[in-house]
């Protein structure tokens, strides 16, 4: 597909971003210890065009309920369910002063369902295999299974260093269809959960926290996310009837986790900056459509609050997990494709 011409095509592209640049994907845990969570993220608006256009601050709600797991001999089946809603709008400036109100805002709903198989193969090795599907829609158009749904799969192995499941090394591969950059990408991670430290280093997420007593954690968390989903071009637009929007974010910020009473509920808060904050329109082949705002966004601050449930750790001698979370393959996620 040829790049869209500047002028009316660029104005239409800006409107598309307003209505459909909505983050997609299942709710994200603060650390791997969180098994269920409800989170709210607010991201401040940022300039997106060269002629004064500006994205409003947008709000995202993430819900990840806890589902029961099942055992089949040595293998445990762990289901995954996630839901996300995001609201976004654009201020009327420059070429958008005469735009209709309905073209300057939007909401996207995202649903994720998956299943992970967890099996210990030796006292120190744990193998995980899983798959998930993600559907994304704003309910303004009819749902299209081919373009509004993405599929992902992974295989990985956890090695318990010293035989202790609180210190693990993770290696694996994940795949996504459809894809924008690569169909397969690595999963690499190291986790250390021994008082007073919580250290999780890997791709695409990291956390460095220190415990103060039994009810407080503070430190730094970061994440890389790439989200792609389908948007609809207005009538008369030179763009194709259906194009795709991509948002890439690289977030880092200080984090504070507080235990609610003496139970297993934790309240997490994080304030930081999205340093990448990149937006792009893609054609049906997932190639970037040229425009005069493709590289004009700036870093934007964000605030995240999350209520999560953390079951207590199993003893180091208990190497048969009662459950396990699917790995975070969120670097490429979204309704029509793969903080």
């Amino acid at each position: 597909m040829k790049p869209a011409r500047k002028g009316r095509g660029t104005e239409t592209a800006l409107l598309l971003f307003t209505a459909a640049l909505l983050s997609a994907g299942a709710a994200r845990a603060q650390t791997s210890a969180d098994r269920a969570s409800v989170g709210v993220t607010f991201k401040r608006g940022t300039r997106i065009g060269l002629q004064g256009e500006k994205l409003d601050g947008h709000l995202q709600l993430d819900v990840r309920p806890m589902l029961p797991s099942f055992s089949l001999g040595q293998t445990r089946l762990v289901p995954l369910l996630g839901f996300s809603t995001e609201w976004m709008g654009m201020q009327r400036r420059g070429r958008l002063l005469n735009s209709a109100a309905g073209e300057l805002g939007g909401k996207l709903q995202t649903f994720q369902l998956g299943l992970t198989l967890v099996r210990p193969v030796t006292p120190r090795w744990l193998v995980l295999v899983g798959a998930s599907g993600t559907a994304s829609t704003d309910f303004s158009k009819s749902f299209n299974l081919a373009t509004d749904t993405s599929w992902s799969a992974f295989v990985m192995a956890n090695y318990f260093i010293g035989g202790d499941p609180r210190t693990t090394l993770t290696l694996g591969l994940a795949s996504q269809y459809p894809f924008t950059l690569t169909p397969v990408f690595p999963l690499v991670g190291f986790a250390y959960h021994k008082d007073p430290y919580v250290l999780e280093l890997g791709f695409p997420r990291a956390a460095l926290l220190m415990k103060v007593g039994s009810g407080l954690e503070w430190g730094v968390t970061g994440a890389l996310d790439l989200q792609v989903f389908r948007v609809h071009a207005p009538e008369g637009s030179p763009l194709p009837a259906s194009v795709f929007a991509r948002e890439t974010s690289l977030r880092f910020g200080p984090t504070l986790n507080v235990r609610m009473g003496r139970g297993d509920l934790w309240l997490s808060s994080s304030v930081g900056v999205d340093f990448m904050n990149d937006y792009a329109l893609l054609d049906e082949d997932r190639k970037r459509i040229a425009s005069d705002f493709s590289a004009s966004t700036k870093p934007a601050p964000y605030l995240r609050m999350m209520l999560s449930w953390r079951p207590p750790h199993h003893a180091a001698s208990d190497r048969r997990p009662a459950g396990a979370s699917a790995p975070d393959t969120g670097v490429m996620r979204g309704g029509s494709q793969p903080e």
Side-chain angles (χ1 to χ4, degrees):
M1 173 186 170
K2 296 181 180 179
R5 296 180 179 177
K6 296 183 179 181
R8 184 178 178 186
T10 302
E11 178 178 346
T12 301
L14 289 166
L15 294 175
L16 283 173
F17 268 94
T18 303
L21 269 180
L22 310 175
S23 301
R28 299 295 163 186
Q30 192 80 346
T31 70
S32 61
D34 299 321
R35 292 292 182 253
S37 61
V38 177
V40 177
T41 302
F42 175 78
K43 184 176 176 181
R44 201 187 74 174
T46 182
R47 182 171 65 90
I48 196 173
L50 299 178
Q51 301 187 29
E53 290 81 7
K54 186 177 185 298
L55 287 171
D56 289 330
H58 57 279
L59 183 69
Q60 180 173 337
L61 170 67
D62 295 310
V63 179
R64 188 181 67 163
M66 177 65 182
L67 299 180
S69 58
F70 306 91
S71 293
L72 293 176
Q74 291 283 323
T75 303
R76 184 163 290 274
L77 281 66
V78 184
L80 166 69
L81 177 64
F83 169 77
S84 175
T85 300
E86 186 167 346
W87 297 265
M88 178 181 278
M90 180 179 281
Q91 296 180 13
R92 283 188 176 83
R93 295 186 179 187
R95 292 163 292 171
L96 302 181
L97 286 173
N98 298 322
S99 301
E103 295 178 307
L104 295 177
K107 179 175 68 174
L108 191 73
Q109 313 279 359
T110 302
F111 306 88
Q112 185 178 39
L113 184 63
L115 182 66
T116 301
L117 279 64
V118 185
R119 183 178 179 86
V121 292
T122 71
R124 296 194 178 190
W125 284 96
L126 192 69
V127 174
L128 297 91
V129 179
S132 65
T134 303
S136 180
T137 179
D138 60 3
F139 294 106
S140 65
K141 301 287 185 179
S142 59
F143 181 79
N144 187 316
L145 182 64
T147 57
D148 293 336
T149 305
S150 67
W151 307 93
S152 63
F154 67 88
V155 57
M156 71 180 194
N158 283 3
Y159 176 69
F160 300 152
I161 300 175
D164 189 343
R166 295 173 300 175
T167 307
T168 62
L169 176 66
T170 300
L171 297 172
L173 293 173
S175 63
Q176 190 90 31
Y177 179 82
F179 62 91
T180 58
L181 300 177
T182 175
V184 179
F185 52 95
L187 295 174
V188 181
F190 171 77
Y192 181 90
H193 289 253
K194 290 185 179 181
D195 293 342
Y197 302 107
V198 176
L199 174 63
E200 296 185 358
L201 299 176
F203 177 79
R205 297 181 181 273
L208 176 59
L209 303 171
M210 183 175 181
K211 298 181 180 180
V212 179
S214 61
L216 181 66
E217 298 173 350
W218 67 275
V220 178
T221 57
L224 171 67
D225 280 324
L226 189 155
Q227 308 169 61
V228 180
F229 41 88
R230 182 171 65 120
V231 297
H232 303 279
E235 293 183 5
S237 167
L239 297 175
S242 291
V243 294
F244 295 86
R246 182 180 70 197
E247 178 185 7
T248 307
S249 63
L250 179 62
R251 301 189 305 272
F252 282 96
T255 299
L256 181 67
N257 302 330
V258 180
R259 185 193 296 270
M260 306 295 288
R262 296 185 178 181
D264 299 327
L265 289 178
W266 287 74
L267 179 64
S268 302
S269 59
S270 180
V271 179
V273 176
D274 180 355
F275 291 94
M276 188 170 291
N277 194 32
D278 178 70
Y279 297 90
L281 285 175
L282 310 178
D283 61 21
E284 58 185 4
D285 296 323
R286 306 303 198 274
K287 295 181 179 179
R288 190 163 189 157
I289 300 174
S291 67
D292 64 356
F293 66 94
S294 59
S296 62
T297 53
K298 293 183 177 180
Y302 71 89
L303 167 66
R304 188 184 189 199
M305 303 291 293
M306 185 181 72
L307 184 66
S308 62
W309 176 67
R310 298 184 186 179
H313 284 292
H314 293 277
S317 60
D318 183 5
R319 301 184 181 92
R320 295 181 60 182
S325 297
D328 189 352
T329 58
V331 65
M332 298 178 70
R333 59 191 175 94
S336 327
Q337 141 73 24
E339 38 181 65

